[in-house]
Amino acid sequence: MYFAALLARTEDGWQASEPDLDDVETLADLSDLARAAADEEETVLVFIEQEDAWFGVVRVDGEDDPRIYVSDAAAAARSSYGEILLTDEVLGRDPEDLRLDELVDLDGTEDGEDGDSDDAAADLSEEHVPAGPVGETDLLADLGMSAADLLALSGDGALTGEALGEIADALGAADVLEAVR
């Protein structure tokens, strides 16, 4: 089960809403949803959490590219919403490095192996997703949460259902986030 919230920074403080993610299939869709929740160039944060397994924060400032942080890439990779956040840039990889047609023979097997092409593709993609946090650890620094504090919420076994609440508290948005929970 997922929890998601949009936090838009306004002149009057933070405003929170619960987004409908049913039509979100790409990072661009998620960014558009965030921009629609804001007036002009305001900062909008998208919080996504899956059953205490991982959380992600997407920051959208006007028309700038979204900035992303994910607490555990390996856990998020097994999730449909997590896959949206795990772009090549966030994972620190060059898309040219992962060309399956160069790594897998035409019959779908890796060199010298027999097997199913779907299994080979899954194995290759899992190998390239690190366990642990990925993305921009400082995306909330100017809003009140340091990179070190954000990483502390993602550490070994530290992730609890309170991670997003602690982030919101550091940003001065705990009350509005709690209202949509």
Side-chain angles (χ1 to χ4, degrees), residues 55-180:
F55 70 87
V57 179
V58 178
R59 179 176 177 162
V60 178
D61 294 301
E63 292 300 317
D64 292 346
D65 288 340
R67 298 172 61 195
I68 302 167
Y69 175 80
V70 176
S71 67
D72 186 338
R78 295 184 293 270
S79 153
S80 59
Y81 293 122
E83 286 179 341
I84 291 171
L85 304 181
L86 296 176
T87 64
D88 289 329
E89 183 178 340
V90 168
L91 293 172
R93 64 186 184 196
D94 183 351
E96 292 298 316
D97 291 343
L98 297 174
R99 292 189 43 149
L100 290 177
D101 61 340
E102 293 175 1
L103 299 171
V104 178
D105 289 339
L106 292 176
D107 67 354
T109 62
E110 293 184 47
D111 289 335
E113 294 182 9
D114 291 328
D116 181 276
S117 62
D118 291 336
D119 292 340
D123 289 344
L124 290 171
S125 65
E126 287 176 14
E127 286 176 19
H128 297 289
V129 178
V134 295
E136 295 187 43
T137 58
D138 65 344
L139 84 160
L140 302 173
D142 64 321
L143 300 175
M145 176 162 257
S146 70
D149 290 340
L150 185 58
L151 282 168
L153 295 174
S154 307
D156 297 327
L159 181 60
T160 68
E162 300 305 315
L164 295 180
E166 289 184 38
I167 294 169
D169 187 43
L171 304 179
D175 293 341
V176 296
L177 180 64
E178 201 55 41
V180 297

Side-chain angles (χ1 to χ4, degrees), residues 1-7 16-19 21 46-52 54-56 81 161 164-165 176-181:
M1 180 157 166
Y2 291 95
F3 168 75
L6 292 174
L7 279 85
S17 61
E18 191 171 355
L21 299 179
V46 181
F47 287 176
I48 300 176
E49 178 183 60
Q50 183 186 13
E51 298 176 346
D52 299 338
W54 66 273
F55 70 87
Y81 293 122
L164 295 180
V176 296
L177 180 64
E178 201 55 41
V180 297
R181 277 198 159 200

